[in-house]
Every structure is written in C-alpha cells, then in structure tokens.
Amino acid sequence: MKKLITTLILIGMIYGIYYYYDDIVEYVMYNFVYKEDFEYDEKNEYARDYNFEFVQLTDDFTPKKRQDILNIIYTSLNNGWSNFTFFCPRKEYKKCLEDVENITNDATLISNINNFVSTYNSYNKIVVNMNSYGRVNISVDKLYGDEDIKVINEKIDEIYNEIITDDMTIEQKIKAFHDYIINNTSYDEERSNEIKSNAITSLKHPSNTAYGPLFTGKAICGGYTDAMALFLDKLGLENYKVSSEKHIWNLVNIDGKWKHLDLTWDDPVVNTGANMLIDTYFLIDANTLLTTEPIQHKFNDKIFVEAK
C-alpha cells in the first residue's frame, strides 16, 4: 500500500512538473536567475515627464500587450538607461517575444520612438538581445557623450544670455534662437549628398547633431532640430521631433497648442550662395505646413498624433 501511494505521488509530481514546466521555468528565471537584471537605475537628469498619444511612461516592465512593449522601450530611452532588461511572460502573453522582435527590427519605428525623448538621451545605436526564456536586453549607445553635453550646454547658456531678455514672450524667445541658428549656420550640402548617395560620410562637420550648428556653423536637418529641441527644453516647453521618410523637424506645445517649427526649411540653400533667413515654417499648424510643402513634411499621424 505504501509503495502504491509513493508511486502515485511520484507520478503526480512528474505530471505536475511536466504540466507546469513553463510556469516553473519562468518563475525560476524571473525570481532567481535574472533577478539582478530587473533592478533599475534612477532616471537621469534629462528624463522627461511627458506622456504622448503614441507612447507613455510606465513603471510596469512586464508587458501584457504590444503597447506595453512600446511604452517600455520609450521609458527606458527616456530615462537615459544605457542598459535595460525586461521579461516577457510567455504564458500570459504568448506573442510577446514575437512582438518584441517585430518592433525592434523595425528601424523606422524605433527611430520614431526615439523622437519623443530628450536629445541628450537619444541613441546613436541600439542593440536588442533576447532568449527563449523571455529575457529581453536593450543596450544603448548614445549619440551625445558627457563632454558633448557639457560644451553644448555652456554654448546654449551663452547664446541665451546674449539674445534673450526677460520681457520677451515665449514666441519671441523661440524666434530669437531660430534666427541666431540660421544666421550662424549654413546647410551642409556635402554631408547631405553623401547620405543621399549612401556614401560613407566624411564627418568633416558633426552636422547631424547640435554641435554642428552651435560650433562649426554647418548642419543638416538633424543638427538644426537637435539644437532647437535643446533650447525648447531650456524654456521648459513640451516638445518632440517629427520625422518623415527623409526629413525631421520640431514640434512644440505653446499654451496647449502644438506648433511645427522647421529651421532647416527656414534656412534655404540658394544658387547665389547667399545666407537667407525666412520664417515660413516658424510655429505653424499642420494644415499650413502640409499646404506649404506636402512632400518632405508628410508624417505618420498615427505616431505623431499631436502634430496633426
């Protein structure tokens, strides 16, 4: 009798282990093997507190649906984390790893999420690794290093003290910086042509970052946009970058109204080589933007919802 009971218990244990194998493995992996991976750093000083229609900040890093994955990636980038790990619950969310793979393999989508974070927390390169047990690791190589940030901040403070006065309205302050950048910068046609032809860029000027317009006087659209985004941050204004297939520009919230701001197109390249300054794309609504130039400014309004 005792032998029978022992046998039945063993059979029950084997059956239980077989039936609940995935649950047991997941529990062990999450609570023991990878436990230290799920201890997160504090967000850095450049992290924003903004939620948008497309992505929102979260403190729940166990996704239950696709939107949760988008929010986790946005939060990790926004918080300035160079390395971040989260866990896919395979039983409750069977497509989790598949969704992570599809999202992170979509370079345009990841780049668009990057547009919502602070310029200083944006990535130069992002690497995602995952395994069959549900562990997903995100490693971020940032576009701006500590020394870059130090000198750029000093330069923006210097410009601010030079051109901004307390009696200016917000619009006047933005216009003053808009004009300063355009008057001291020219479009980097050489770098732009290299990018268009898929050539290895010379990097003669760091014109794709804020360093270009602030220090070398050369910029492509990424440089103009990063510099303006940093100034908008200094003013404490909610903002992000809007991108189309081949272009990027700024969007800023002023008194509850979202306005487009494109320094690149306000600094046109002309045949005479003259340095022109216009304000056609200064704080305009989406209808005006798309009526004026509907090709390079055609954006995905399901992602950049506030830009509509």
Side-chain angles (χ1 to χ4, degrees):
M1 186 66 178
K2 288 183 178 180
K3 184 179 290 188
L4 176 61
I5 292 174
T6 301
T7 301
L8 289 174
I9 291 173
L10 287 173
I11 291 173
M13 290 175 64
I14 294 170
Y15 177 79
I17 291 171
Y18 174 79
Y19 186 79
Y20 293 105
Y21 176 79
D22 287 343
D23 293 336
I24 294 170
V25 169
E26 185 171 300
Y27 179 85
V28 171
M29 291 295 175
Y30 185 83
N31 290 282
F32 297 98
V33 179
Y34 299 136
K35 183 178 180 180
E36 291 185 2
D37 291 343
F38 307 127
E39 296 175 358
Y40 306 118
D41 295 330
E42 293 294 324
K43 59 186 179 181
N44 69 12
E45 62 184 298
Y46 308 112
R48 296 169 163 180
D49 295 322
Y50 304 147
N51 290 312
F52 301 102
E53 291 290 333
F54 186 66
V55 283
Q56 302 84 43
L57 298 173
T58 183
D59 57 5
D60 183 353
F61 301 117
T62 305
K64 310 297 189 302
K65 56 185 183 298
R66 185 177 185 277
Q67 182 62 48
D68 294 343
I69 298 171
L70 297 176
N71 291 345
I72 288 170
I73 294 172
Y74 166 57
T75 301
S76 66
L77 291 173
N78 179 76
N79 287 355
W81 292 332
S82 296
N83 198 281
F84 173 75
T85 301
F86 68 94
F87 193 79
C88 267
R90 297 178 302 164
K91 184 174 183 179
E92 295 86 348
Y93 181 4
K94 290 182 171 54
K95 289 184 60 184
C96 184
L97 288 175
E98 179 184 342
D99 284 348
V100 170
E101 184 174 13
N102 290 337
I103 288 170
T104 56
N105 283 340
D106 187 338
T108 300
L109 175 57
I110 296 299
S111 178
N112 286 336
I113 294 174
N114 196 51
N115 286 349
F116 292 98
V117 311
S118 162
T119 295
Y120 287 151
N121 282 341
S122 60
Y123 69 81
N124 178 50
K125 183 180 179 182
I126 184 169
V127 177
V128 179
N129 290 300
M130 52 187 173
N131 64 26
S132 59
Y133 296 113
R135 179 183 183 271
V136 180
N137 176 259
I138 299 175
S139 179
V140 180
D141 174 27
K142 294 184 183 178
L143 185 59
Y144 292 85
D146 291 341
E147 185 59 30
D148 297 322
I149 292 172
K150 179 178 180 295
V151 298
I152 289 172
N153 279 341
E154 289 173 352
K155 185 64 174 179
I156 289 179
D157 287 344
E158 176 189 320
I159 296 170
Y160 186 94
N161 293 330
E162 178 184 334
I163 66 174
I164 303 300
T165 59
D166 292 340
D167 60 343
M168 285 180 170
T169 65
I170 287 295
E171 291 84 356
Q172 288 171 334
K173 291 177 180 179
I174 297 172
K175 185 63 162 59
F177 190 77
H178 166 280
D179 292 357
Y180 176 92
I181 292 297
I182 293 175
N183 285 332
N184 290 276
T185 306
S186 59
Y187 188 75
D188 191 349
E189 291 188 87
E190 180 182 0
R191 180 76 177 272
S192 176
N193 290 333
E194 288 174 340
I195 293 172
K196 290 175 183 176
S197 63
N198 294 317
I200 298 175
T201 56
S202 62
L203 297 179
K204 184 183 298 182
H205 302 284
S207 51
N208 63 312
T209 73
Y211 196 95
L214 292 173
F215 290 97
T216 71
K218 289 285 186 179
I220 56 175
C221 54
Y224 285 107
T225 304
D226 277 12
M228 177 52 76
L230 292 171
F231 185 74
L232 296 174
D233 286 343
K234 184 174 180 64
L235 294 178
L237 295 172
E238 185 179 13
N239 70 93
Y240 63 75
K241 303 163 193 172
V242 181
S243 56
S244 62
E245 187 176 343
K246 295 182 179 180
H247 190 43
I248 188 166
W249 63 97
N250 301 95
L251 187 77
V252 57
N253 188 344
I254 301 176
D255 296 329
K257 294 182 180 180
W258 288 95
K259 300 292 184 180
H260 294 262
L261 177 62
D262 191 342
L263 274 68
T264 309
W265 278 69
D266 276 348
D267 190 12
V269 177
V270 295
N271 293 333
T272 63
N275 191 16
M276 290 187 63
L277 165 63
I278 62 177
D279 58 8
T280 304
Y281 299 90
F282 179 75
L283 298 183
I284 58 177
D285 60 31
N287 183 60
T288 303
L289 175 73
L290 295 173
T291 300
T292 306
E293 199 293 305
I295 299 175
Q296 290 202 31
H297 290 100
K298 186 177 181 181
F299 59 89
N300 187 337
D301 61 12
K302 291 182 173 60
I303 293 176
F304 305 113
V305 180
E306 294 82 3
K308 291 193 291 185

